[in-house]
Amino acid sequence: MNCTNPVPEREREKKEKKEKRKKKIERKKRRGRKKERERKKERARGKELGALAGLSAQMGVWEARIKAGSTASFSFMDEHLQTQRNELPVSIKDCIPGHLEILPAELESYSDDTPLHIS
């Protein structure tokens, strides 16, 4: 009569099941970490686009201020004009708004075909 002890075999089966569970959990963790990295990249991308949209919107404010004769939005130019006791030359006053109109489109060209929603 050949009698084998079933206890070691059950122990081996338990170990195998435990190892399979560990491997399965590790695969899920890896997939989760990969998805989290992708979500972080997407959030960062959204923040960049938001910052560009905000900057583009701010340019409209700067343009209106320059047209009104205020250089406060441009601190270095404002300081220079005040120390020299000069007014903003007409040629520059006419030139800056044109550049500020073009800049948002230029910034948008850096955003990988994702439109900047400027309101």
Side-chain angles (χ1 to χ4, degrees):
M1 183 162 156
N2 190 2
C3 250
T4 59
N5 190 353
V7 174
E9 189 159 320
R10 274 191 240 135
E11 290 296 320
R12 183 182 55 78
E13 288 174 355
K14 283 183 182 178
K15 281 185 179 181
E16 286 175 357
K17 284 182 180 180
K18 192 175 180 178
E19 287 298 317
K20 282 183 181 179
R21 272 187 258 132
K22 280 184 179 179
K23 287 180 182 179
K24 187 176 180 179
I25 290 169
E26 187 58 37
R27 281 193 305 269
K28 283 184 178 180
K29 284 182 180 178
R30 269 187 262 133
R31 273 188 246 127
R33 286 189 296 259
K34 183 179 179 182
K35 286 182 181 180
E36 183 59 29
R37 282 192 304 269
E38 290 170 359
R39 282 192 292 266
K40 282 182 180 180
K41 284 181 184 177
E42 192 62 34
R43 274 185 254 136
R45 180 78 178 130
K47 287 179 183 177
E48 290 169 3
L49 290 176
L52 286 176
L55 180 62
S56 294
Q58 191 66 32
M59 287 180 201
V61 174
W62 298 340
E63 183 182 344
R65 287 181 181 165
I66 286 289
K67 286 179 180 177
S70 171
T71 58
S73 298
F74 304 94
S75 58
F76 289 119
M77 182 170 47
D78 191 47
E79 183 180 336
H80 175 75
L81 291 172
Q82 287 179 6
T83 57
Q84 299 297 318
R85 299 181 194 266
N86 287 336
E87 287 189 25
L88 186 64
V90 175
S91 61
I92 293 176
K93 186 178 177 182
D94 292 340
C95 183
I96 292 174
H99 286 286
L100 290 173
E101 284 180 23
I102 295 169
L103 263 173
E106 291 293 322
L107 288 174
E108 197 168 314
S109 71
Y110 290 103
S111 66
D112 298 332
D113 299 329
T114 307
L116 300 176
H117 299 288
I118 303 167
S119 50

